Amino acid sequence: MQSFSLPLPYLKAVFEGAPYFAKFNTGSTSDGKSKTGFVLKTMWASGMNFALALSHDPQLGITSAILDGCLQDEVDTVIARISAAAAYVCHPLLLPTILYELVVERNVQRTNASEGEMNRIELDTGEHIYQSRVQPDLHSIDSGGSMTARVNGTATTSAFTAANIDSTIVAFKALIGYIENFPPPIDASRKRQLCEDGLTLKECIEHCLAMCANLQLEAEQIQGRAKTQISAIYSLIAQRDSVLNLQVANSSNALTDATRRDSSAMKTIAVLTILFLPGTFVAAFFAMPLLDWDAAEASAVVRPRFYIYWIVTIPCTLLVIAVWIVWIRVNNHLEDSSSSHTKGHAQSKSITQPSSRKRISLPLWRKLLVKSKSDHEESHQGSGDEEAGLASGASTPLTIFSRVRKAIGKGHRETQ
């Protein structure tokens, strides 16, 4: 850096992502004149993320530069542009002008790509001004969120392009100021050549500024179309959901009609059963062998062992009814226990744990029992069963009163 008299802020510009363009005094020549240096850094979203540092010696007319961040094909393009502009190579700001011209061309490519993607999105959604084109199916619109991602991606790319265009416009305006106020050399011929080259570079920069202005308008209209497509996609999704809800409602109505028809059929079966059940029962009852319809007398129709039918039928009927009642109650009990368990588990989660600083006070009678039990265990520790029985039976009213008084006093102290 020092051997070429390059500006030291170049190292900072290489590692920063923000666009940067400034002028520096990088040293002095042999005759005492200062050398002019420039440091510039393009925006990282420009597609050409380069950093440039250059220094110009007005005495020798030599410009030294370091360029970082360009790919090999971009370096070849820069060298070809410099060779094509060999007549203006004596001007130190030729290289920054060429680099920013390449940035403008890359922005043109990105804007055209965003324009094409937005056209395809409009065709996919059907929200466009071309009425002769086939409208898409509502069920295929943004089924997996891909359409929304495409629109958002296009809008984001367009926003980055617009920001890069703004930074490029700022750099071009600074270039024009530096060209107009560049220190002239001592030699008259070189001074005239520098002025002529500066005018040519200004014309090129003004052409690039006009392109940047058009690119700004295109970026704005792409972002506006992206917002319109986002709204259209949400509207189409709402329409699709409405259609699906209508289909579900129609299916529910059809299911309701089918259920109603089944209910009518079951009612018909029930009515027919009610109508034919008495006759069926009577026919089956009269067809039992326990009845003798060929008897000579009416009193002899019922045979002596007819009671066996009732002995078997009545207990079986009662048994079936009892089993049914038990089954109903067990089922209801299981359902109630499962629902209560679920509610209790949900309530246990909502109850917060008490603070460790709060002391939980026991009731007075509980403290008395605990105190009496502990005193009883301490007084009879190590003694036999007989001594323990005697000691436990030897409690006097005075002893019990003293224990109660101590427990009450201790309870008051803990409460305070």
Side-chain angles (χ1 to χ4, degrees):
M1 298 289 291
Q2 295 179 356
S3 60
F4 290 99
S5 299
L6 296 174
L8 293 179
Y10 168 74
L11 299 177
K12 181 180 179 181
V14 170
F15 297 102
E16 289 185 352
Y20 188 80
F21 190 26
K23 176 183 176 182
F24 299 92
N25 293 325
T26 59
S28 302
T29 60
S30 60
D31 57 356
K33 290 190 175 182
S34 62
K35 296 181 180 180
T36 304
F38 296 92
V39 174
L40 60 92
K41 177 72 168 59
T42 59
M43 191 174 180
W44 65 270
S46 63
M48 294 185 64
N49 187 18
F50 62 81
L52 174 67
L54 59 88
S55 176
H56 178 69
D57 190 343
Q59 183 180 4
L60 302 177
I62 297 176
T63 301
S64 303
I66 293 180
L67 179 62
D68 179 71
C70 290
L71 301 177
Q72 185 60 42
D73 57 342
E74 296 171 348
V75 173
D76 296 338
T77 303
V78 172
I79 294 175
R81 295 288 180 91
I82 293 175
S83 300
Y88 315 104
V89 76
C90 63
H91 201 288
L93 295 178
L94 174 64
L95 182 57
T97 304
I98 292 175
L99 291 175
Y100 276 112
E101 185 180 6
L102 293 177
V103 171
V104 172
E105 293 177 359
R106 184 61 60 87
N107 287 330
V108 171
Q109 297 175 1
R110 292 166 67 92
T111 302
N112 292 335
S114 299
E115 181 78 19
E117 179 65 16
M118 187 56 61
N119 291 333
R120 289 188 291 271
I121 290 172
E122 290 177 348
L123 290 177
D124 293 339
T125 59
E127 298 296 325
H128 49 73
I129 60 175
Y130 307 104
Q131 301 296 332
S132 59
R133 298 183 180 179
V134 179
Q135 296 294 326
D137 186 12
L138 290 177
H139 297 282
S140 63
I141 293 177
D142 206 36
S143 57
S146 59
M147 188 70 67
T148 305
R150 288 172 59 189
V151 176
N152 290 331
T154 304
T156 302
T157 302
S158 180
F160 277 121
T161 304
N164 185 30
I165 292 170
D166 293 338
S167 65
T168 305
I169 290 175
V170 173
F172 277 140
K173 291 181 179 179
L175 271 175
I176 292 177
Y178 294 146
I179 291 173
E180 292 176 350
N181 300 318
F182 197 82
I186 301 176
D187 191 358
S189 61
R190 289 173 55 193
K191 180 179 180 180
R192 184 175 60 255
Q193 183 67 30
L194 189 66
C195 292
E196 293 177 356
D197 294 346
L199 292 175
T200 305
L201 292 180
K202 283 179 62 178
E203 293 177 355
C204 179
I205 292 173
E206 290 174 355
H207 173 69
C208 291
L209 284 174
M211 293 181 62
C212 288
N214 294 329
L215 290 176
Q216 281 182 326
L217 296 176
E218 292 185 8
E220 291 178 359
Q221 65 94 8
I222 290 174
Q223 295 179 21
R225 291 166 63 186
K227 293 180 181 179
T228 303
Q229 291 303 314
I230 287 291
S231 301
I233 290 173
Y234 289 157
S235 177
L236 292 174
I237 292 175
Q239 294 178 16
R240 182 187 62 187
D241 294 341
S242 299
V243 172
L244 292 177
N245 292 333
L246 182 60
Q247 293 177 355
V248 171
N250 294 332
S251 300
S252 300
N253 292 333
L255 182 61
T256 303
D257 295 338
T259 304
R260 188 182 296 110
R261 288 192 297 268
D262 293 341
S263 178
S264 300
M266 293 301 296
K267 289 181 180 179
T268 303
I269 294 174
V271 170
L272 293 176
T273 303
I274 292 173
L275 292 177
F276 289 98
L277 182 61
T280 304
F281 172 75
V282 171
F285 184 80
F286 286 167
M288 289 189 302
L290 298 176
L291 298 176
D292 187 10
W293 298 103
D294 296 332
E297 298 180 358
S299 59
V301 173
V302 180
R303 294 185 178 183
R305 296 182 180 180
F306 182 72
Y307 66 92
I308 297 176
Y309 170 76
W310 300 109
I311 292 175
V312 175
T313 302
I314 294 175
C316 289
T317 304
L318 296 176
L319 179 62
V320 171
I321 295 175
V323 170
W324 176 72
I325 294 175
V326 171
W327 181 80
I328 290 295
R329 291 184 177 180
V330 170
N331 191 20
N332 293 336
H333 177 71
L334 292 177
E335 291 179 356
D336 294 340
S337 61
S338 61
S339 61
S340 61
H341 177 71
T342 304
K343 292 181 180 179
H345 183 67
Q347 291 177 358
S348 63
K349 289 184 178 180
S350 62
I351 297 176
T352 57
Q353 296 293 335
S355 176
S356 59
R357 296 184 179 180
K358 295 182 179 179
R359 180 178 297 177
I360 301 175
S361 59
L362 296 175
L364 184 60
W365 63 271
R366 186 69 179 272
K367 294 179 181 179
L368 179 60
L369 291 179
V370 174
K371 180 65 178 176
S372 300
K373 185 177 181 181
S374 61
D375 294 343
H376 179 74
E377 291 178 354
E378 290 177 358
S379 61
H380 297 87
Q381 185 176 5
S383 61
D385 296 338
E386 183 178 358
E387 295 178 356
L390 294 174
S392 61
S395 298
T396 62
L398 181 61
T399 305
I400 296 175
F401 177 75
S402 63
R403 291 177 181 177
V404 171
R405 186 177 60 183
K406 290 181 181 179
I408 292 174
K410 187 176 181 182
H412 284 295
R413 288 195 298 272
E414 291 179 355
T415 304
Q416 294 176 358

